[in-house]
Amino acid sequence: RSFQKHHKAMRSRTAVWYETTVRYERSKGDENNIATEAYAVDALSFAEAEQRITEEMEPYCSGEFDVKKIAIAPYREVFFSEDEDDDKFFRATVAIITLDERTGKEKKNNVNYLVQAKNIETARRYVVDAFFNTAIDYEINRLVETKILDVFEK
């Protein structure tokens, strides 16, 4: 069957990702306000994640800056979109289905992905596209919008 891609290219990146929550003072015009925002960074340790998010946010900071939380992300692979309308990040839980050759039973292994998309329908389509040219049997079990505003790569 023919398969029409409705969007620009996606690219994926596998790494150890950390989700960070930062609280900082940012200036907008004449006034300063405190923002609490979530970002993902790739890093090899909690210390490096803290250092990386601090460096990335420095240009936007006008005063105090705190890294409130750092956690190892529940995904290893991020699907990035080249489409500038895709300004949100969704967490996709995909069940990879394999056959246990000994018992002949299906086994499902859940894998999480972070997907950049403009809405849940687009995110679903991007996951389908990612698996399209593979021989992998899968089911998309969950798609939820995250609070992540951006993903910083090394």
Side-chain angles (χ1 to χ4, degrees):
R1 78 188 167 93
S2 70
F3 179 67
Q4 182 83 45
K5 282 216 184 271
H6 307 287
H7 55 82
K8 297 174 187 169
M10 295 288 297
R11 67 184 176 81
S12 89
R13 175 112 194 281
T14 302
V16 179
W17 299 98
Y18 288 81
E19 290 186 350
T20 64
T21 303
V22 296
R23 188 169 179 273
Y24 68 102
E25 209 173 319
R26 66 175 175 200
S27 49
K28 268 192 173 163
D30 301 346
E31 56 187 65
N32 280 7
N33 61 352
I34 301 285
T36 302
E37 297 174 346
Y39 296 93
V41 295
D42 68 336
L44 298 173
S45 66
F46 283 90
E48 187 189 359
E50 183 173 16
Q51 180 191 341
R52 297 237 17 257
I53 193 59
T54 304
E55 286 166 7
E56 291 286 356
M57 296 307 293
E58 207 168 21
Y60 310 104
C61 250
S62 62
E64 67 173 276
F65 176 85
D66 277 320
V67 178
K68 288 291 186 200
K69 193 174 125 197
I70 299 176
I72 296 173
Y75 43 83
R76 294 297 298 266
E77 194 167 353
V78 178
F79 297 141
F80 291 98
S81 168
E82 304 297 326
D83 189 334
E84 57 196 36
D85 290 339
D86 294 332
D87 58 352
K88 297 181 177 94
F89 286 90
F90 295 83
R91 191 159 86 211
T93 303
V94 178
I96 308 293
I97 303 163
T98 55
L99 205 61
D100 185 319
E101 293 183 6
R102 196 172 47 81
T103 64
K105 286 193 175 132
E106 272 191 358
K107 284 194 327 198
K108 292 184 181 181
N109 184 24
N110 282 337
V111 180
N112 290 309
Y113 298 92
L114 191 67
V115 184
Q116 186 177 13
K118 68 179 169 211
N119 56 37
I120 207 152
E121 292 80 19
T122 309
R124 176 176 296 279
R125 197 170 71 228
Y126 288 170
V127 173
V128 170
D129 286 355
F131 282 91
F132 182 72
N133 286 324
T134 70
I136 298 169
D137 276 336
Y138 70 97
E139 287 167 5
I140 301 171
N141 284 347
R142 272 183 82 207
L143 262 175
V144 287
E145 188 176 336
T146 69
K147 289 183 161 60
I148 291 170
L149 295 179
D150 207 352
V151 175
F152 296 116
E153 302 176 80
K154 278 188 196 167

